[in-house]
Amino acid sequence: QVQLVESGGGLVQAGGSLRLSCAASGSISTFRTMGWYRRAPTAKQRELVASISSTSTTYAHSIEGRFTISRDNAKNTMYLQMNDLKPEDTAVYYCNADGYRLDKSYYDYWGQGTQVTVSA
């Protein structure tokens, strides 16, 4: 079982920046996809913010151009650079990783979340 631990959240004013980190307890090079999700205070479900695989990255329309996802396999860490933050970016941000084991069973790991609060 791989553990994912997020860090880097906090309180920031609108227009500011934060960088979130997701550190894995094992190698991330075997993950098929890693991603950042968030759940806003009034939302019932998490929404995908950005994801990254070995071949591509995807972004939610609402954050495109402001956030950048990256991963450093040597450090077993994924990042989310968030610039020009807006109050509507306020949410708990979660790290996710998925893939397939050698026996072809699917796995899906989640971190505990880190709070990002953007004040107007």
Side-chain angles (χ1 to χ4, degrees), residues 68-87:
T68 302
I69 190 171
S70 63
R71 58 194 282 181
D72 185 335
N73 288 352
K75 296 182 178 179
N76 294 323
T77 302
M78 176 179 65
Y79 304 97
L80 185 68
Q81 177 66 44
M82 305 186 295
N83 298 328
D84 190 24
L85 283 160
K86 305 177 184 299

Side-chain angles (χ1 to χ4, degrees), residues 34-37 48-52 58-60 63 67-69 80:
M34 296 189 74
W36 289 98
Y37 290 72
L48 176 66
V49 176
S51 67
I52 185 168
T58 59
Y59 294 95
I63 59 87
F67 293 7
T68 302
I69 190 171
L80 185 68

Side-chain angles (χ1 to χ4, degrees), residues 1-2 27-33 96-102 104-109:
Q1 179 85 9
V2 172
S27 173
I28 68 170
S29 62
T30 60
F31 293 154
R32 182 185 64 166
T33 305
N96 172 265
D98 76 358
Y100 291 91
R101 299 182 183 89
L102 291 177
K104 299 186 181 180
S105 61
Y106 176 76
Y107 62 82
D108 184 31
Y109 301 133

